[in-house]
Amino acid sequence: MEASYEEKWGLTDRTQSSKASKVASPRDSTGASNKDQAAGSNKKDSKNKRVSITAPATPGSTSGKDGGKEGGKVSGLGIQTNASSTSGDGSQGAGPSSGGPAGGPQKASAPSQKSMTKAERRELQEKQKAEKAARVSAGLPASAKKAAQAQPNSGFSPNPSKSLATSFPGAEAEKAIAVAESTGQGKKRERLTKEIGLFAHLDPPKFANTASAPKDLHPAVVNVGLQMAQFKICGANARCVATLNAFRKAIQDYQTPPNTTLSRHMQTYLNPHISYLVTCRPMAVSMGNAIRYLKYEIGNNLELPDEDARALFVEKIDNFIRDRITMADQVIMSLGLQKIQDGDVILTYARSSVVQGLLLAAHAKGIKFKVIVVDSRPRFEGKQLLRALANAGVPCTYVLLTAIGHVMREVSKVILGAHSLLSNGALYSRAGTAVVAMSAHERKIPVIVCCETYKFSDRVQLDSFVQNEIGNPDELVNDQHNNFGHSSVRYHDKSRDLKLLNLLYDLTPSEFVTVVITEVGLIPCTSVPVILREFL
């Protein structure tokens, strides 16, 4: 005679215990918890033959008191089921799952974090962080439960480890992108599956967002932040002047709170404005130095009356713009004119406001020279310089960076602008500047850099990897300057394997720079620490 299902699997004791539970008093069946019933039924089992049976989860199964009632039910095979067999830390039981004849397939339960190794726990945490970031980028709540309630059909699972363990890496990030595009909530590129590991430490591209800005921000500062985020205000000088002018308007309209003075509360008032500008776009070195100067002047005049302090701070802002930027550029132009002679072929890269002023001043003085404007994608800043020089009547040639080797043979001087000069003499400027400087140095052509001293930084940087700014990667493939009649390609949105990198700046070593023209004179780039120590 063939053994029954219960005898074959050694479940005779459990079957008897389930039958005994049917004849128990109503008080016992309702007062005892499901955990106590399971413990009582397993006393007769030996340690090696103990089996934990869990029924397939049903939509109506609950925890707590309701779970105790469900745990007392018996399946079609007469086996007692336990609907709340999860441990205290939320992990499911370790026993095999078995259902009735019509039950679902057997599912492996998630292991407890206590039983995981350190590497497995770290991997699980990284997957959970990735899914959380994907939800936030899609405009969903950071919590998995709230995201599931807000977007029940978005494809997110409340259990991050379960959803990521059963899919390829980055699948949840792509689901978040699809949800964001379908609902119209996300205009940003998903960073998790597109970032390059070497530059993962850098901040992602920033986008203008006034929704997260504090309500008490001055409208002038909000306007400047939006223009910077959209690259309508470019260049270190232009960004610094726009920031200081916005702060001047904010100070003029500032109303002192009760029980305080303007001087003592001014820094507290300006800090949210500064933080908002940083969220729009990473702060330039020139902006940081100007804000540091303004805070220094505020800290030295804490005892002034409100109106006197307001007038003093506005005056200090005007003096900084006049002395450190406007007058400094005029001195640099006058010194740079000594380096331009008749018959020169001057090469410049992209656009610098001080270099543009120098070339226009040399042409107005009657010097006969030619200019080669080298430009590169994706911003094509050199077109603005080319337009200004051509309107003034300066003979110009416009080429892209890929033709630098061809045009360098006829160049006599290279004049470049600077975003910043670092303490070790390195030039921090637009991406592509290092290629131009190294190409000129290879052919023994002098490289002249025009830079104001307020752009000097005490920071030391050996390459462009440790610190840089990442632009919008869409600009590399979405060609808005297309003249061939077809639309721009958007295949990178669908591909997980295509990773785009749009670095805005690069680093030029000091040995490739011949001289730096500043308002304090012509200096080698290695003299930056001396200028910072003696003059600033």
Side-chain angles (χ1 to χ4, degrees), residues 191 198-204 464-470 503:
R191 176 175 180 252
L198 185 61
F199 301 93
H201 63 284
L202 300 179
D203 293 333
S464 58
F465 297 165
V466 295
Q467 181 67 34
N468 210 317
E469 181 179 353
I470 298 181
L503 291 179

Side-chain angles (χ1 to χ4, degrees), residues 134-245:
R135 287 194 296 268
V136 173
S137 64
L140 299 175
S143 174
K145 295 182 179 179
K146 294 181 179 179
Q149 296 174 0
Q151 296 287 341
N153 297 325
S154 61
F156 279 101
S157 173
N159 188 354
S161 60
K162 181 178 180 181
S163 60
L164 288 172
T166 57
S167 59
F168 55 86
E172 295 297 332
E174 292 196 350
K175 292 180 181 178
I177 298 173
V179 172
E181 292 178 351
S182 62
T183 57
Q185 297 175 354
K187 295 183 179 180
K188 298 186 295 183
R189 294 272 302 120
E190 174 56 47
R191 176 175 180 252
L192 297 175
T193 57
K194 300 295 184 180
E195 68 179 13
I196 297 178
L198 185 61
F199 301 93
H201 63 284
L202 300 179
D203 293 333
K206 298 180 180 297
F207 298 86
N209 184 12
T210 58
S212 60
K215 297 181 180 180
D216 56 348
L217 290 184
H218 195 275
V221 178
V222 176
N223 184 29
V224 169
L226 293 175
Q227 292 184 5
M228 289 184 183
Q230 298 172 2
F231 286 87
K232 294 182 178 179
I233 298 180
C234 293
N237 287 344
R239 293 174 64 187
C240 183
V241 171
T243 301
L244 292 178
N245 287 332

Side-chain angles (χ1 to χ4, degrees), residues 56-137:
T58 58
S61 61
T62 57
S63 61
K65 297 180 179 180
D66 296 335
K69 297 178 181 179
E70 292 293 333
K73 292 183 179 181
V74 181
S75 62
L77 291 175
I79 302 175
Q80 182 180 358
T81 60
N82 187 0
S84 57
S85 59
T86 55
S87 60
D89 57 352
S91 61
Q92 297 177 355
S97 176
S98 176
Q106 181 175 347
K107 295 183 180 180
S109 59
S112 173
Q113 292 190 10
K114 295 182 180 179
S115 62
M116 293 182 180
T117 62
K118 187 175 181 181
E120 292 175 346
R121 287 196 300 269
R122 186 183 299 111
E123 182 181 1
L124 177 60
Q125 292 174 358
E126 292 297 332
K127 290 178 179 179
Q128 292 174 349
K129 289 180 181 179
E131 189 179 28
K132 179 179 179 181
R135 287 194 296 268
V136 173
S137 64

Side-chain angles (χ1 to χ4, degrees), residues 329-400:
D329 288 348
Q330 294 181 5
V331 174
I332 291 174
M333 293 175 193
S334 62
L335 295 175
L337 289 175
Q338 304 173 9
K339 299 297 181 181
I340 300 178
Q341 302 173 356
D342 289 333
D344 279 345
V345 179
I346 300 174
L347 184 143
T348 185
Y349 177 69
R351 178 188 177 272
S352 172
S353 58
V354 62
V355 173
Q356 177 178 324
L358 173 60
L359 296 177
L360 292 177
H363 177 72
K365 191 177 179 180
I367 302 177
K368 305 297 182 182
F369 62 95
K370 296 181 180 179
V371 178
I372 298 177
V373 179
V374 181
D375 208 356
S376 65
R377 298 184 68 243
R379 308 221 64 87
F380 293 105
E381 297 179 70
K383 291 185 177 181
Q384 187 176 353
L385 173 63
L386 178 66
R387 188 179 299 108
L389 297 177
N391 293 336
V394 180
C396 299
T397 302
Y398 181 82
V399 297
L400 294 181

Side-chain angles (χ1 to χ4, degrees), residues 395-433:
C396 299
T397 302
Y398 181 82
V399 297
L400 294 181
L401 187 61
T402 52
I404 186 68
H406 175 72
V407 300
M408 192 62 74
R409 294 177 293 184
E410 54 183 290
V411 174
S412 57
K413 293 182 180 68
V414 175
I415 301 179
L416 302 172
H419 180 85
S420 175
L421 271 180
L422 306 184
S423 184
N424 60 338
L427 172 63
Y428 188 71
S429 189
R430 292 171 180 83
T433 304

